[in-house]
Amino acid sequence: MSEDLGYGWQGDLLDLPAYLKRVAHDGDLAPTVETLRALHRAHVTSIPFENLEIMLGRPVEMSLDAVQAKLVGSPRGGYCFEHNRLFAAVLERLGFEVIALAARVTLGSPKLRPSTHALLHVRPPGGSRDEPAWLCDVGFGAGPLEPLRLVDGEEAVQDGWGFRLQRGRTVETWTPSTAGWEMHQRGPDGWVQRHTFPLNETFRIDFEVFNYYVSTNARSPFTARPFVQRFSPDVLHVLDGTTHTLTRPDGTVETRTLTPADLPATLAADFGIVLEGEDAPGLVSFVRDRS
């Protein structure tokens, strides 16, 4: 066996049948744009976004074995680094060309933010370099349902949800290459810049570093409270602490406040996350202590 130098995504170690069962995909696996769209949609609508390991006092592991055990082998989810670690291995296994990217989540803020989000730049094999690549974002929790072509001004409405890609703005000290790209999402109040990203390749070792900051730093938004999302064609469920919000493609929003004791049942019913053993009472205690 050749030495693993850390450049690839270890698709050869993936339990592909288990993954396909988890996301309920029984279609074609040829590395085509149609397959990419179908797998992206299946992944996004089957595996939720969540940061609960941090609330439960456990580290977020980035090895493929750990990510598969959690996202595929159990009724759980993960956040962007886990999702894209897994999806990159799937696409690599099928023959796609996969490059990971790192993004700064802005959510409309002009403030400079650290790179805390993972994306995938994907091409089917053997295609012309004159054809645009595809941007996959299976780990944000709020879509898109399908990948977007990496084209300036690309706008997609997917089952009523709107997304847009555009080149980043240029200011005094930036060039177009460092300004990079912007992802926008249409919300109840119109278009919002969701994140910005350059086309600089990142690797598994970079995921380890990003993940450590996101999962341990007191300034990280993911270390203070549960944040869980479940996206589908007709509704986005978000659990932020004890606030459960439902947003629909037409912009309508419903919000309800839960008690800490409500969380395990809500996670199971609305997010497809089942906490086992001491995890349910552990999460309730964590949230109650910070209420």
Side-chain angles (χ1 to χ4, degrees), residues 9-11 14 16 19-20 23 25 29 32-45 47 64 67-68 71-72 79-100 118-123 134-139 144-148 207:
W9 295 97
Q10 300 177 310
L14 178 77
L16 184 59
Y19 172 82
L20 296 173
V23 302
H25 178 80
L29 295 179
T32 64
V33 170
E34 291 73 21
T35 297
L36 183 63
R37 285 194 177 112
L39 284 173
H40 194 290
R41 178 179 283 261
H43 185 117
V44 167
T45 57
I47 308 179
L64 185 59
V67 171
Q68 286 191 109
L71 275 67
V72 176
Y79 57 26
C80 64
F81 299 115
E82 297 168 279
H83 277 278
N84 284 294
R85 174 73 180 89
L86 176 63
F87 200 56
V90 172
L91 297 182
E92 182 185 78
R93 172 72 169 268
L94 296 180
F96 289 93
E97 299 176 16
V98 183
I99 294 174
L119 304 161
L120 298 178
H121 174 286
V122 180
R123 291 183 185 275
W134 293 84
L135 186 75
C136 294
D137 194 359
V138 297
L145 288 164
E146 298 180 5
L148 276 69
F207 276 29

Side-chain angles (χ1 to χ4, degrees), residues 53-280:
E53 288 298 276
I54 304 167
M55 312 298 104
L56 297 170
R58 294 193 291 262
V60 178
E61 301 287 352
M62 282 289 102
S63 72
L64 185 59
D65 283 347
V67 171
Q68 286 191 109
K70 182 163 170 265
L71 275 67
V72 176
S74 65
R76 291 287 305 277
Y79 57 26
C80 64
F81 299 115
E82 297 168 279
H83 277 278
N84 284 294
R85 174 73 180 89
L86 176 63
F87 200 56
V90 172
L91 297 182
E92 182 185 78
R93 172 72 169 268
L94 296 180
F96 289 93
E97 299 176 16
V98 183
I99 294 174
L101 307 173
R104 302 177 190 275
V105 178
T106 58
L107 298 178
S109 171
K111 184 178 180 180
L112 182 64
R113 301 283 179 81
S115 296
T116 57
H117 181 54
L119 304 161
L120 298 178
H121 174 286
V122 180
R123 291 183 185 275
S128 168
R129 283 300 188 260
D130 294 331
E131 292 293 319
W134 293 84
L135 186 75
C136 294
D137 194 359
V138 297
F140 197 83
L145 288 164
E146 298 180 5
L148 276 69
R149 292 188 312 156
L150 198 60
V151 172
D152 190 17
E154 176 81 353
E155 190 171 315
V157 178
Q158 302 172 351
D159 294 57
W161 304 99
F163 303 92
R164 184 175 68 203
L165 284 173
Q166 65 185 53
R167 287 196 179 275
R169 65 194 184 285
T170 301
V171 296
E172 280 186 4
T173 59
W174 292 1
T175 66
S177 62
T178 57
W181 290 79
E182 300 176 2
M183 166 80 87
H184 294 248
Q185 183 167 0
R186 192 179 63 202
D189 299 319
W191 289 102
V192 176
Q193 184 195 83
R194 192 165 90 173
H195 47 256
T196 66
F197 57 98
L199 298 184
N200 295 335
E201 185 171 7
T202 61
F203 302 93
R204 287 173 5 226
I205 191 65
D206 300 314
F207 276 29
E208 296 276 359
V209 176
F210 297 146
N211 171 63
Y212 182 76
Y213 170 84
V214 169
S215 64
T216 65
N217 193 285
R219 296 178 62 186
S220 167
F222 293 127
T223 59
R225 87 289 190 216
F227 190 71
V228 187
Q229 299 184 93
R230 181 73 182 266
F231 192 56
S232 70
D234 59 347
V235 65
L236 168 65
H237 287 270
V238 177
L239 178 68
D240 189 345
T242 55
T243 301
H244 183 193
T245 303
L246 289 78
T247 303
R248 301 191 184 279
D250 64 4
T252 58
V253 178
E254 305 170 34
T255 301
R256 64 189 180 113
T257 300
L258 309 176
T259 68
D262 293 331
L263 294 179
T266 299
L267 288 169
D270 295 318
F271 296 87
I273 294 173
V274 179
L275 299 178
E276 300 174 339
E278 294 301 310
D279 286 353

